[in-house]
Amino acid sequence: MKRLNNSLLTALLALLCNGSAAAMAPTPPPLETVARVDLQRYLGRWYEIARYPNRFQQGCQDSRADYSQRENGEIEVLNSCRDTESGAVRQAKGRAWVVDNASNAKLKVSFFWPFRGDYWIIELGSDYEYAVVGTPDRNYFWILSRSPQMPDQLYNQILQRAEQQGFLPARVIKTAASASDALSPAQL
């Protein structure tokens, strides 16, 4: 009985210590977005260059997102990738809507009700040639490009700026496909 009490006490102390450590972890500063997004220019096809690992993209390669305007003003989202095991195209269809009309840089996205997530545009190329998307809790991160590849110099600069915003470059996995590996329209 005494051994059981010691085990319970040890487990309780471990939980308390872990909770205290999490509570003492520094809170990142508020995530800064771009000043303004022209949604009409943002629409269209984006290729994933890099991202944080996440469960819903596990086993995906050649990922891309297609955004189009819906009649109700929301954005239609079609995410596609090639399954790494079967080679089949996987798709997820959803919708996004602006939650900050002053900038259009903060959106919510939902692929099935009632679940939704943040989609904050934190960096954008001057010609909308690339975009960096993250979430305020720093749990999700993507680098997107209008073409399947991105120059290494630009990629590294983006990672440096993302780190200043509290993202961890060591967590980022590069996922860009070669131009010939990208999904063709016929595969969709």
Side-chain angles (χ1 to χ4, degrees), residues 50 87 151 178 182:
S178 67

Side-chain angles (χ1 to χ4, degrees), residues 124-180:
L124 192 56
S126 60
D127 290 327
Y128 288 63
E129 71 278 14
Y130 74 89
V132 182
V133 176
T135 58
D137 61 8
R138 309 321 196 267
N139 287 333
Y140 296 94
F141 177 82
W142 291 270
I143 299 174
L144 307 174
S145 175
R146 294 293 189 180
S147 64
Q149 296 181 330
M150 175 179 278
D152 287 338
Q153 182 178 1
L154 175 59
Y155 174 78
N156 292 327
Q157 291 169 345
I158 289 170
L159 287 181
Q160 288 174 354
R161 290 188 293 268
E163 185 173 25
Q164 293 170 358
Q165 287 246 49
F167 291 96
L168 303 173
R171 282 191 60 199
V172 177
I173 56 173
K174 201 166 186 179
T175 59
S178 67
S180 62

Side-chain angles (χ1 to χ4, degrees), residues 1-179:
M1 183 71 165
K2 187 174 182 174
R3 185 176 173 103
L4 179 62
N5 285 340
N6 284 340
S7 295
L8 288 173
L9 182 60
T10 302
L12 181 60
L13 285 173
L15 283 172
L16 288 173
C17 288
N18 284 342
S20 297
M24 291 187 305
T27 303
L31 186 60
E32 294 181 28
T33 63
V34 296
R36 183 85 182 136
V37 176
D38 177 344
L39 290 177
Q40 291 304 310
R41 289 184 70 192
Y42 197 81
L43 299 176
R45 175 157 298 155
W46 291 94
Y47 295 92
E48 178 184 281
I49 301 299
R51 64 175 161 82
Y52 273 2
N54 60 63
R55 63 177 167 69
F56 51 86
Q57 285 185 282
Q58 192 170 10
C60 271
Q61 65 184 28
D62 303 331
S63 296
R64 68 184 191 193
D66 289 287
Y67 304 128
S68 57
Q69 190 77 51
R70 298 176 80 173
E71 288 183 21
N72 66 1
E74 292 180 346
I75 298 169
E76 183 85 15
V77 178
L78 179 62
N79 289 342
S80 306
C81 74
R82 184 188 331 267
D83 188 277
T84 55
E85 289 185 21
S86 70
V89 174
R90 293 173 22 192
Q91 294 183 322
K93 192 173 185 180
R95 65 187 182 94
W97 60 96
V98 173
V99 294
D100 177 13
N101 290 320
S103 69
N104 288 340
K106 295 179 182 178
L107 297 95
K108 290 282 188 185
V109 65
S110 177
F111 289 93
F112 53 95
W113 183 86
F115 302 101
R116 60 189 67 172
D118 292 310
Y119 182 105
W120 288 18
I121 302 167
I122 61 172
E123 189 172 333
L124 192 56
S126 60
D127 290 327
Y128 288 63
E129 71 278 14
Y130 74 89
V132 182
V133 176
T135 58
D137 61 8
R138 309 321 196 267
N139 287 333
Y140 296 94
F141 177 82
W142 291 270
I143 299 174
L144 307 174
S145 175
R146 294 293 189 180
S147 64
Q149 296 181 330
M150 175 179 278
D152 287 338
Q153 182 178 1
L154 175 59
Y155 174 78
N156 292 327
Q157 291 169 345
I158 289 170
L159 287 181
Q160 288 174 354
R161 290 188 293 268
E163 185 173 25
Q164 293 170 358
Q165 287 246 49
F167 291 96
L168 303 173
R171 282 191 60 199
V172 177
I173 56 173
K174 201 166 186 179
T175 59
S178 67

